[in-house]
Amino acid sequence: MTEHVRVRFAPSPTGHLHIGGARTAVYNWAFARRHGGTFVLRIEDTDPERSTEENTQAILRAMEWLGLDHDEGPDVGGPYGPYRQTERAHLYADALERLKERGSVYPCFCTPEELERKREEARARGGFAGYDRTCRLIPQEEAQRRIESGEPHTWRLKVPLERGDVVFDDLVRGEMRFPISAIDDLIVVRSDGTPTYNFAVAVDDATMRITHVIRGDDHISNTPKQILIYEALGLEPPEFAHLSMIWGPDGKRLSKRHGATSVEAYREMGYLPVALLNYLALLGWSLDGETTVIDRDTLVANFSLERVSRNPAIFDAEKLEWLNGVYIRQMSAEEFVERMVPVLVEAGLLRAEEVAARREWLLALAPLVSERIKRLDEIVAMVRFLFEDVAIDDRAREAVLAKPGAATALAAAREALSGVASWDAPSIEAALRPLPERLGMKPKAVFQALRVAVTGTTVSPPLFESLELLGRERSLARIEAAQPLAAE
């Protein structure tokens, strides 16, 4: 690839960053980084009713969290700004003047009511329901006179009917062909002077020197129109690559009914950015058809559009959760503590000023937790018993403490632990291991009773290490408090 690659991600700030949009951003970012190119962020905020600055900031936060650094954009500037469509009106006006000079547009005076009536008549005849090009036949002098008199009008692209099919080589799908007869004389500028979507996008991509447009396949029908706009302006269109949609497990387009759909929701649910980035990359692209865990450097070094599938990708929440767990388990204790501390502080279990003094304790806790969770939001429930007194779960009491012998097991455990000289996991284990045989009970019955007494539940980090971290006094006190609840 000889030219300097310039790609863009152009979200509309009508909501937070959707998983589908994030996947598009990942592919654009990876393509730019793979080829030493430029990744541009452009905000398409021309919908005044739904576009908000709050949503723009949410999109920027989500991209920063994912590590999708952009080289040009509304927050960092660049040589081809502004990077918000609402600030680019002068560029659309200039482009319209250029189209007028080249004779590539004409004014259309048809009212919305007239256009709708014509469409209904065309549909009734079973013919082409596009614009019938009435105003294309108006002499230039008459059209100019009507404009000067203040008659409302739009500007339509004069599609070259003799051109032949619009053909382009999609970098994912191969040759795409659209008959010129099926393409309307589309409106490029509305009667209020604002540009239509296809006109604004084509002008933006041209003036920003975009070389490759990588976007969802819901834009395929827009591409021939934008190519015609490029040609009318006397410009070379970029290359196009259209990505298949992301479906839910039911084979329908991913939506809220399948669960969370925004990047920020996954952040709040305890997913790691590196795991979500990895998973998004695999929604339509693969390294070799087998490798699942792919870090950022590997993605950048190997990404290519040739390996992007034409088939819709299936969003599998369970696979994402599994992958997140893989990344959590790969963390060092120090890395996990850095992730765990904010969760504990936000939950009110730990004060920020305590962290330094309890660092060694936290480092000891880290591997006990990281090996057993798939999401960071599972931390609090797993470790709450270490920070505050917890009530014994009713189901745990019924399933474990209500069994015959539970009180005997707790009494024996408390006695054995009272004599432990050095309160550490190996010494605690040495004191407790002989109990099942001595009591004539199964190990699971003894240790589960002890676990429920100390942690309040049947699921926790390893028992002996939990007792060490909880401390002698609190451990013995909890065992004693649970004895009256246990069956003899």
Side-chain angles (χ1 to χ4, degrees):
M1 193 167 296
T2 56
E3 61 185 330
H4 179 78
V5 167
R6 287 181 59 84
V7 297
R8 47 70 163 185
F9 175 54
S12 297
T14 55
H16 287 201
L17 183 58
H18 185 275
I19 285 295
R23 192 271 306 265
T24 299
V26 169
Y27 284 15
N28 276 278
W29 172 83
F31 188 78
R33 297 291 173 259
R34 172 72 177 83
H35 296 287
T38 300
F39 178 44
V40 178
L41 174 64
R42 183 173 75 227
I43 300 297
E44 298 189 341
D45 57 350
T46 52
D47 183 341
E49 294 183 1
R50 299 172 60 213
S51 296
T52 68
E53 181 59 25
E54 179 185 351
N55 287 333
T56 296
Q57 293 305 315
I59 291 169
L60 290 170
R61 284 195 304 271
M63 291 185 63
E64 180 180 10
W65 181 72
L66 282 171
L68 302 179
D69 55 310
H70 48 281
D71 306 295
E72 299 174 23
D75 54 335
V76 297
Y80 300 105
Y83 293 92
R84 297 174 190 261
Q85 283 190 332
T86 49
E87 299 173 1
R88 298 174 62 81
H90 62 289
L91 295 169
Y92 309 135
D94 290 346
L96 177 61
E97 290 307 311
R98 184 170 180 177
L99 291 177
K100 292 178 184 178
E101 292 169 3
R102 295 172 64 89
S104 298
V105 290
Y106 61 90
C108 176
F109 302 95
C110 298
T111 65
E113 293 75 20
E114 289 174 325
L115 293 173
E116 181 56 33
R117 178 179 53 77
K118 291 180 179 183
R119 278 191 289 268
E120 289 179 359
E121 291 173 353
R123 281 193 289 265
R125 294 193 305 270
F128 178 53
Y131 181 55
D132 63 3
R133 299 186 169 96
T134 298
C135 293
R136 184 167 175 163
L137 304 176
I138 297 175
Q140 188 173 351
E141 297 78 9
E142 180 185 342
Q144 186 60 35
R145 178 178 52 76
R146 294 173 69 175
I147 291 173
E148 291 174 353
S149 70
E151 186 173 347
H153 61 282
T154 61
W155 287 95
R156 289 184 180 272
L157 186 71
K158 189 180 293 183
V159 172
L161 303 179
E162 71 288 347
R163 179 192 183 283
D165 295 349
V166 178
V167 182
F168 66 94
D169 183 29
D170 191 292
L171 297 177
V172 170
R173 298 168 177 273
E175 182 183 286
M176 304 292 289
R177 182 178 295 272
F178 297 82
I180 198 72
S181 58
I183 301 176
D184 214 348
D185 277 6
L186 61 144
I187 296 173
V188 292
V189 174
R190 304 181 184 92
S191 58
D192 63 1
T194 59
T196 58
Y197 171 79
N198 281 309
F199 184 52
V201 166
V203 172
D204 287 341
D205 287 341
T207 55
M208 289 182 178
R209 308 290 194 269
I210 300 302
T211 61
H212 298 76
V213 172
I214 305 170
R215 59 188 178 188
D217 64 7
D218 52 332
H219 286 287
I220 285 180
S221 62
N222 289 324
T223 302
K225 302 171 186 176
Q226 291 168 16
I227 288 175
L228 290 174
I229 292 171
Y230 265 89
E231 292 177 354
L233 289 168
L235 301 171
E236 190 72 24
E239 295 192 70
F240 293 93
H242 291 94
L243 313 174
S244 294
M245 291 292 98
I246 300 175
W247 287 355
D250 57 0
K252 296 181 180 179
R253 185 169 178 173
L254 189 67
S255 67
K256 289 181 179 179
R257 69 175 176 275
H258 300 111
T261 57
S262 76
V263 170
E264 289 200 331
Y266 283 93
R267 179 181 184 176
E268 293 167 2
M269 289 163 60
Y271 286 88
L272 300 174
V274 65
L276 186 55
L277 178 71
N278 184 160
Y279 187 69
L280 291 173
L282 295 176
L283 289 177
W285 173 86
S286 68
L287 179 63
D288 51 21
E290 298 178 1
T291 305
T292 302
V293 181
I294 302 169
D295 60 28
R296 290 165 57 90
D297 292 342
T298 302
L299 171 62
V300 167
N302 294 276
F303 184 80
S304 69
L305 292 171
E306 288 76 16
R307 292 197 64 83
V308 173
S309 174
R310 302 181 186 183
N311 300 319
I314 304 298
F315 188 89
D316 185 341
E318 291 185 4
K319 184 174 181 179
L320 170 58
E321 189 174 72
W322 168 83
L323 186 61
N324 200 61
V326 171
Y327 276 99
I328 288 175
R329 290 190 295 276
Q330 287 179 350
M331 287 181 173
S332 66
E334 291 79 4
E335 290 173 323
F336 188 74
V337 166
E338 293 302 311
R339 296 283 185 179
M340 179 170 63
V341 162
V343 176
L344 298 177
V345 170
E346 184 177 354
L349 300 182
L350 184 68
R351 295 197 303 272
E353 57 268 24
E354 296 178 303
V355 174
R358 303 191 68 177
R359 186 159 187 80
E360 290 305 315
W361 185 88
L362 290 166
L363 287 170
L365 173 62
L368 308 183
V369 179
S370 63
E371 288 293 326
R372 289 163 179 80
I373 63 172
K374 294 179 181 178
R375 303 193 315 266
L376 296 180
D377 66 349
E378 296 172 336
I379 292 174
V380 171
M382 182 168 287
V383 305
R384 184 181 293 277
F385 76 95
L386 292 169
F387 294 88
E388 58 187 32
D389 291 336
V390 292
I392 293 176
D393 180 79
D394 289 340
R395 286 174 296 182
R397 179 168 52 222
E398 195 67 31
V400 178
L401 296 186
K403 297 290 179 65
T408 301
L410 292 180
R414 187 173 185 278
E415 181 182 358
L417 289 172
S418 297
V420 173
S422 177
W423 195 262
D424 55 59
S427 301
I428 292 169
E429 182 174 5
L432 294 175
R433 280 295 180 194
L435 290 185
E437 185 176 351
R438 179 159 67 81
L439 297 174
M441 298 175 66
K442 293 181 178 180
K444 181 178 180 180
V446 174
F447 296 133
Q448 275 292 71
L450 185 55
R451 186 187 304 277
V452 170
V454 172
T455 71
T457 181
T458 56
V459 180
S460 74
L463 178 60
F464 308 126
E465 287 82 356
S466 293
L467 288 165
E468 176 186 347
L469 291 169
L470 187 61
R472 182 194 303 272
E473 291 184 11
R474 295 171 73 198
S475 296
L476 295 177
R478 289 188 185 182
I479 296 170
E480 183 177 2
Q483 284 179 249
L485 303 175
E488 295 292 340

